[in-house]
């Protein structure tokens, strides 16, 4: 094969995919899809189609360009009918709307769960019959806004770390008040040092703990009310008293626990390595 | 400062944190916390405490070792009271249970939403009154299992891609049947090539689309039933007919759409770059 019989080098056709020339297959269809000249100018239509398929990896809208001269290939499709064109548009609209619709489904589910939780809580706190009659007598709009407020408020309330605030005040002022020193002789007056702040864990476990604590509170409040304030006749008052008592006692215990840990941390001692020798102080 | 006055080099004390010697501060408490000898043997108790605090980064349970000899420091805490010990145990148990409880809350919410969706669907399909009376007459256990099955089945049903199966059969057998060739002259008989498989999108949008499609089906079925089969008196039969008609028509349109896209893809042409020259065929 010599180029001599071609007046113009560009007329010599050799496919850059399969390397076959015009003489190898006289029926094949040729295309010169880019700015390239010379040996990469011509390519078989079918070879290039296969090559484009490979580059597009199943997404027929991907643009494909010549790897040498970077010219984008011009891919021509047959005209589409009116029906197909309408369907294509609908498909695109549905694709855009679906994420919003799915978010709506999720938000609706959450809202409905919150409404249900609120209603169950009302019946738990007021008693089954009284709770039902109160809700039936209420404006539906008030219920639709008020009931989901119940779990929201419980969770928001749980996020207020009032124990930490009291603890801070305690550590700041307790050394100055002699009565407190007398009542808690084992406290911060004896601290060997100020320990490092322990990290306020905001990890996933802490979040699930907050959520569970908030949502179980009405049940605990009802139980505590029945145990501690059995002589109170009003369901609501008894549960409220039970809830306040539980939160107060738990808070006090938590403050005590944290302060004890703080004092232990402050008074820790690092020992000599060889325990047979006396501790050097 | 000379070492000569110390009989043993190990008796010479210099803190490896602050570099102060015994003579600089005669009251400071010393510790030899690791296997090190010589200049890194002794360290001030307070200096080492600060250094340990820094290494622990707020988590007081982290083990700390000597950076030179890798001996783990022995940190001794004061004894804890029974109450604190019990609280520590409770805290650990609560921390372990909370992720499960939170998962339970999530699963319960999902289940409750599914029950509600099922109940709404029953009332939509059977009519408000009839649906209510059917549910009131049913065994509660059947309802608690049956109602959440409704959205589950709708979603599972949506996952069966029956259109793709029919399309595959069509592409395989339609060229062999001459009646089909006569009815659809513009179809696969003319394909220039077999196009690459388009990717079966399993991306998030496709999932939300499936979810929305499954959950809106009862509403569409009721509407389609009223429009197409208004003369059917039974609510259930009318909705069922409407649903089957909708799924059938939509499936047929989808098959048509996909086949047209397939044919277009098969018959696409890559053009010559210079459009002023005639297309080489």
């Amino acid at each position: 094969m010599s180029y001599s019989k071609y007046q113009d080098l560009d007329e010599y056709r050799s496919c850059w995919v399969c390397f076959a020339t015009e003489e190898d297959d006289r029926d094949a269809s040729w295309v010169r899809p880019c700015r390239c000249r010379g040996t990469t100018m011509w390519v078989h239509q079918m070879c290039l189609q296969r090559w484009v398929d490979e580059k597009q990896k199943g997404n027929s809208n991907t643009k494909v360009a010549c790897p040498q001269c970077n010219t984008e290939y011009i891919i021509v499709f047959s005209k589409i009918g009116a029906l197909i064109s309408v369907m294509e548009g609908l498909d695109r609209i549905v694709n855009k709307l679906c994420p919003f619709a799915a978010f709506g489904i999720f938000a609706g589910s959450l809202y409905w769960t919150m409404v249900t939780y609120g209603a169950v809580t009302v019946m738990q706190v007021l008693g089954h019959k009284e709770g039902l009659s109160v809700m039936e007598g209420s404006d539906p709009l008030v219920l639709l806004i008020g009931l989901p407020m119940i779990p929201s408020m419980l969770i928001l309330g749980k996020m207020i770390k009032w124990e930490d605030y009291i603890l801070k005040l305690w550590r700041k002022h307790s050394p100055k008040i002699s009565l407190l020193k007398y009542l808690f002789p084992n406290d911060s007056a004896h601290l060997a040092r100020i320990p490092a702040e322990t990290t306020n864990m905001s990890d996933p476990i802490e979040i699930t703990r907050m959520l569970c604590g908030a949502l179980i509170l009405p049940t605990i409040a009802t139980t505590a009310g029945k145990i501690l304030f059995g002589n109170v006749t009003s369901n609501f008052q008894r549960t409220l008293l039970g809830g306040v008592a539980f939160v107060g006692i738990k808070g006090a215990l938590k403050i005590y626990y944290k302060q004890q840990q703080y004092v232990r941390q402050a008074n820790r001692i690092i020992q000599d390595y060889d325990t047979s020798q006396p501790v050097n102080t």
Side-chain angles (χ1 to χ4, degrees), chain A:
Chain A
M1 173 68 50
S2 66
Y3 297 155
S4 56
K5 69 179 189 175
Y6 297 96
Q7 292 179 313
D8 183 357
L9 198 78
D10 286 348
E11 281 304 303
Y12 174 71
R13 297 184 181 186
S14 154
C15 174
W16 60 255
V17 174
C18 71
F19 300 116
T21 62
E22 210 168 4
E23 281 159 19
D24 293 331
D25 181 355
R26 297 205 165 266
D27 299 326
S29 135
W30 291 88
V31 64
R32 31 189 283 188
C34 59
R35 286 195 198 87
C36 286
R37 300 258 142 193
T39 51
T40 57
M41 179 175 178
W42 289 101
V43 61
H44 282 132
Q45 177 76 242
M46 278 303 138
C47 291
L48 187 59
Q49 292 272 11
R50 268 204 316 280
W51 191 81
V52 165
D53 274 348
E54 230 161 83
K55 290 286 144 187
Q56 287 184 329
K57 283 169 191 153
N59 181 357
S60 60
N61 293 319
T62 308
K63 307 274 182 206
V64 181
C66 170
Q68 294 243 332
C69 70
N70 225 20
T71 308
E72 196 182 302
Y73 295 141
I74 306 160
I75 303 175
V76 177
F77 291 96
S78 60
K79 264 195 155 176
I80 51 171
L83 182 60
I84 295 292
S85 153
V86 167
M87 286 170 87
E88 224 167 20
L90 280 177
D91 190 65
R92 220 171 290 136
I93 291 169
V94 169
N95 257 351
K96 280 213 177 119
L97 288 182
C98 270
F100 296 99
F103 178 77
I105 291 172
F106 174 75
S109 304
L110 186 67
Y111 174 78
W112 178 242
T113 308
M114 285 165 80
V115 168
T116 310
Y117 177 88
V120 169
T121 303
V122 166
M123 290 200 287
Q124 198 176 31
V125 169
L126 297 181
H128 191 80
K129 272 186 191 170
E130 207 185 322
L132 265 185
S133 74
V134 162
M135 285 193 285
E136 273 162 8
S138 300
D139 185 354
L141 201 69
V142 172
L143 287 181
L144 288 177
I145 296 171
L147 291 180
M149 288 286 273
I150 294 173
S152 313
M153 284 299 145
L154 284 171
I155 290 169
L156 281 178
K158 188 80 181 173
M159 286 169 89
I160 302 169
K161 302 272 176 198
W162 59 274
E163 301 101 332
D164 289 356
Y165 183 71
I166 290 185
L167 207 54
K168 237 177 237 169
L169 280 182
W170 171 268
R171 282 176 196 159
K172 201 172 167 190
H173 298 293
S174 71
K176 296 176 203 155
I177 304 163
S178 45
L179 176 69
L180 289 175
K181 261 193 227 171
Y182 177 75
L183 286 170
F184 302 94
N186 193 24
D187 208 66
S188 41
H190 294 251
L191 289 189
R193 64 191 188 97
I194 305 292
E197 279 283 312
T198 48
T199 42
N200 218 332
M201 283 199 293
S202 61
D203 58 352
I205 285 182
E206 200 62 14
I207 292 168
T208 62
R209 199 169 160 162
M210 196 196 67
L211 189 74
C212 296
L215 297 182
I216 203 110
L217 183 61
T219 309
I220 292 177
T222 312
T223 315
K226 274 179 192 158
I227 294 170
L228 300 174
F229 306 97
N231 53 343
V232 178
T233 46
S234 156
N235 282 326
F236 180 67
Q237 279 178 21
R238 193 176 57 231
T239 304
L240 198 67
L241 284 171
V244 169
F246 170 74
V247 170
I249 293 170
K250 194 182 160 238
L253 284 173
K254 197 171 173 183
I255 290 171
Y256 175 71
Y257 177 68
K258 281 200 165 183
Q259 182 62 9
Q260 288 299 310
Q261 297 286 44
Y262 181 82
V263 171
R264 277 186 81 212
Q265 196 62 30
N267 293 334
R268 74 177 179 195
I269 284 170
I270 299 169
Q271 283 202 320
D272 285 346
Y273 174 65
D274 191 354
T275 45
S276 67
Q277 291 197 352
V279 175
N280 185 292
T281 45

